[in-house]
Amino acid sequence: MTFDECHERLVQIRRGQGTRFPKIRIDCGGQVFKGRLARSDSDPEHRSAPIAPRGALVLEDLHRGRASQTVVELDRLRSHDLHDLSASD
């Protein structure tokens, strides 16, 4: 997944949930990650180098908050791997 694809998908999810830190589900290589988005390198304020080949999504555990975080690299994701968690609840 590219930075732009990720950013575009997150904008849709954020609008749907009405929050900057939405609940998301990531299907990646047979694994499923669920949590609240804490940070995305695809957001302009987190892009240290716009042409950098790697970036990540940081998820907070829904029950433990910042105490438990999962980092998923963008280059492991395909465009259809990022989902709105509230839509599947």
Side-chain angles (χ1 to χ4, degrees), residues 60-77:
E60 294 176 351
D61 185 281
L62 293 173
H63 305 289
R64 290 181 258 170
R66 292 187 186 271
S68 179
Q69 294 185 334
T70 303
V71 177
V72 182
E73 296 173 350
L74 291 179
D75 63 353
R76 293 181 55 200
L77 303 177

Side-chain angles (χ1 to χ4, degrees), residues 1-11 14 20 39-58 74:
M1 176 178 279
T2 67
F3 280 90
D4 291 333
E5 288 172 331
C6 182
H7 183 69
E8 182 179 314
R9 183 67 183 122
L10 286 175
V11 166
R14 285 170 168 153
R20 177 124 176 98
R39 192 190 89 229
S40 171
D41 290 339
S42 69
D43 289 336
E45 65 270 19
H46 294 294
R47 287 191 197 183
S48 57
I51 58 171
R54 301 184 75 126
L57 296 173
V58 179
L74 291 179

